[in-house]
Amino acid sequence: MPEGTPAPKTRKFRGQVYINWDNCKGCGFCIEFCPPKVLEFSEKFNDHGYHPPMLTKEEACTGCDLCGLYCPDFAIYGVRVPTSSTEVKPENPKP
C-alpha cells in the first residue's frame, strides 16, 4: 500500500436477522429503522395475510438489533456473529 493510505477495515462482526413470520403483522417498522437498509418486504404472505420482512443484503447487516427494538410484536431480532477472522481455530485438529 502507498504510504499514508489507511489500511482497509476488517469487520469483526457480521449481522444475522431472525424473523418469526407467524408473529409479524407487516407494519414495516423494522424496515424503516434499519440503519444499513438491508430489510425489505417479502412478496410472500404469512398465515395472517401480511408481508413479513426479509433480509436482502446479508453481508451488509451489522446485527445492531434496531429492527427488534422497534418491532411491536417481537417478530424479528438481530444478533452479531463473529467473522471467521476473529474465531479461534484449534492448533492441533483431530484427524
Side-chain angles (χ1 to χ4, degrees), residues 8-9 12 20 29 32 47 59 67:
K9 293 183 179 181
K12 294 180 182 178
N20 183 336
F29 289 164
E32 184 67 30
D47 291 340
E59 69 282 351
C67 55

Side-chain angles (χ1 to χ4, degrees), residues 2-61:
E3 190 174 316
T5 304
K9 293 183 179 181
T10 57
R11 291 177 60 182
K12 294 180 182 178
F13 295 97
R14 67 174 184 82
Q16 179 64 47
V17 174
Y18 296 93
I19 303 167
N20 183 336
W21 275 49
D22 292 331
N23 287 357
C24 181
K25 66 180 180 186
C27 68
F29 289 164
C30 57
I31 296 169
E32 184 67 30
F33 292 105
C34 178
K37 303 296 182 198
V38 298
L39 296 171
E40 291 180 7
F41 282 112
S42 170
E43 292 182 9
K44 297 179 181 178
F45 292 97
N46 64 10
D47 291 340
H48 304 288
Y50 300 115
H51 291 281
M54 59 184 258
L55 185 62
T56 57
K57 301 175 203 160
E58 187 173 340
E59 69 282 351
C61 179

